[in-house]
Amino acid sequence: MKETIEISDELKNENDYKAYEFLAQLQWQIVSSNKEKVVLDFRKCEFSNAIFSSFIGAMKYIGSGMGKELNFITADNSELDLYFKRSEILKDRLKYGESYVNKNTIPFRKVDMNDDTVIDYISNILNLAPIDLTERCAEVLFKNIFEIFNNAVEKSNARYGVYSCGHWMPKKKQLMFSVYDTGIGIPNLVKKNISRDFSSYDAIMWSLERGNSTKQLEFGTPRGLGLADLKDFIRLNNGTLTIFTNDIFFQQKGNTVSANLLSYPILGTFIGITIVADYNHVYMVRE
């Protein structure tokens, strides 16, 4: 008994909330399916934006955690098939010792903060970023990204794990990476511990305010400090910060902020970051 879900061109635009609405519905279909096997058929999907990779790759682990077998079908040697292999989303399909990872790849992985390689993994993200950072700025950004990873693992109560993936896109001249935890979600966490009168949008905005320390929360963290710094950096870089959590899609693109409620709530929190190539500025910390 299996269910097949066909995916076509819904995942092209990382700035369109409808793509996130589709991902939320897709996850709901997988979670609510009463079939033992679920197949995601990507053969009609020509392109999937790199920012979605951590969320897509996590689907297998969510399904497995629920006792379901989840499989991907891609058109052999298509652009999407090669990208999934390069990002190691389809690592289980490769022969022993075979690898498609190249210098532009931040491979899909389950995040384990006890694994020493996570330091190198985060360093690779910053090394791929096509921007000049002062030593102090690089240190602060590293700590911000490390905090997002660490909080996702340690504080989100991620039942089915935490996942990350990314890619330097030379044609677009953008670095995209994302972290997705399958935990309680920012709005649920903030409402539970700060104010039940908050809307999901209020909760996101609270989590982005500098000074709303993670120590204020008894049962977890909405990643307040790391996101506050990253929000400011993204604004300066004219990049994009996306937070996709529970029943809300929030995005800051440069100075522009948008938010939309989702028809289907998701597990946990997805944080996507796009850094734009900038060869004309040096970024430094404002003391």
Side-chain angles (χ1 to χ4, degrees):
M1 297 286 287
K2 71 177 181 180
E3 178 179 359
T4 299
I5 303 171
E6 189 174 279
I7 297 169
S8 52
D9 293 324
E10 295 88 353
L11 301 174
K12 288 185 176 181
N13 190 348
E14 76 278 13
N15 298 322
D16 185 354
Y17 90 93
K18 291 181 181 178
Y20 294 87
E21 178 88 327
F22 172 77
L23 286 172
Q25 182 178 357
L26 179 61
Q27 186 183 90
W28 176 84
Q29 286 179 272
I30 293 169
V31 170
S32 62
S33 176
N34 59 2
K35 308 297 184 183
E36 295 180 357
K37 295 183 179 181
V38 179
V39 176
L40 302 186
D41 188 344
F42 287 90
R43 286 176 292 186
K44 293 184 179 179
C45 180
E46 296 181 1
F47 178 80
S48 175
N49 194 280
I51 205 76
F52 304 132
S53 299
S54 65
F55 193 89
I56 292 172
M59 298 285 195
K60 277 195 173 187
Y61 295 88
I62 292 172
S64 177
M66 294 181 170
K68 302 170 186 178
E69 180 183 332
L70 185 71
N71 292 306
F72 294 172
I73 296 178
T74 53
D76 288 342
N77 297 318
S78 65
E79 185 176 338
L80 184 67
D81 178 66
L82 293 174
Y83 173 70
F84 278 179
K85 289 176 180 176
R86 191 174 296 123
S87 299
E88 299 203 321
I89 291 174
L90 297 181
K91 190 174 182 179
D92 58 337
R93 255 193 230 175
L94 303 180
K95 298 176 182 178
Y96 179 76
E98 185 179 19
S99 176
Y100 285 76
V101 173
N102 63 21
K103 63 181 181 180
N104 296 328
T105 305
I106 305 167
F108 173 79
R109 67 179 287 171
K110 186 173 183 178
V111 179
D112 179 358
M113 299 308 292
N114 294 318
D115 184 347
D116 292 340
T117 63
V118 75
I119 301 297
D120 293 333
Y121 186 80
I122 296 173
S123 295
N124 187 40
I125 293 172
L126 288 179
N127 290 336
L128 282 176
I131 52 177
D132 285 329
L133 303 168
T134 63
E135 184 176 347
R136 173 65 177 146
C137 188
E139 178 184 337
V140 169
L141 277 179
F142 182 93
K143 288 181 178 178
N144 294 156
I145 295 171
F146 183 88
E147 181 183 343
I148 290 175
F149 276 67
N150 190 59
N151 287 340
V153 172
E154 300 295 334
K155 305 296 179 66
S156 70
N157 300 319
R159 184 174 180 183
Y160 304 108
V162 178
Y163 305 90
S164 182
C165 192
H167 213 81
W168 159 241
M169 313 292 287
K171 291 182 180 179
K172 289 188 174 184
K173 295 186 177 179
Q174 294 177 342
L175 175 69
M176 298 180 175
F177 75 93
S178 58
V179 180
Y180 173 51
D181 72 61
T182 58
I184 187 172
I186 291 177
N188 285 344
L189 190 59
V190 173
K191 291 175 190 178
K192 180 178 180 181
N193 292 279
I194 301 301
S195 174
R196 294 191 180 278
D197 293 330
F198 275 3
S199 66
S200 293
Y201 178 80
D202 293 335
I204 292 292
M205 297 311 293
W206 185 94
S207 74
L208 288 166
E209 282 296 321
R210 189 177 307 280
N212 284 345
S213 170
T214 60
K215 294 181 181 179
Q216 289 176 277
L217 302 184
E218 183 179 356
F219 297 109
T221 171
R223 310 165 180 80
L225 296 178
L227 283 183
D229 285 337
L230 283 171
K231 178 189 70 171
D232 290 344
F233 171 75
I234 288 299
R235 177 179 56 80
L236 290 171
N237 180 253
N238 200 32
T240 305
L241 170 65
T242 301
I243 304 175
F244 175 43
T245 177
N246 293 149
D247 63 347
I248 190 167
F249 160 77
F250 170 92
Q251 191 168 79
Q252 175 179 308
K253 185 172 176 59
N255 290 312
T256 303
V257 170
S258 61
N260 297 88
L261 290 177
L262 301 165
S263 301
Y264 300 88
I266 68 162
L267 301 172
T269 298
F270 168 97
I271 296 175
I273 295 171
T274 300
I275 297 174
V276 178
D278 185 344
Y279 303 107
N280 300 315
H281 297 86
V282 176
Y283 293 93
M284 62 187 67
V285 174
R286 182 178 60 192
E287 298 295 347

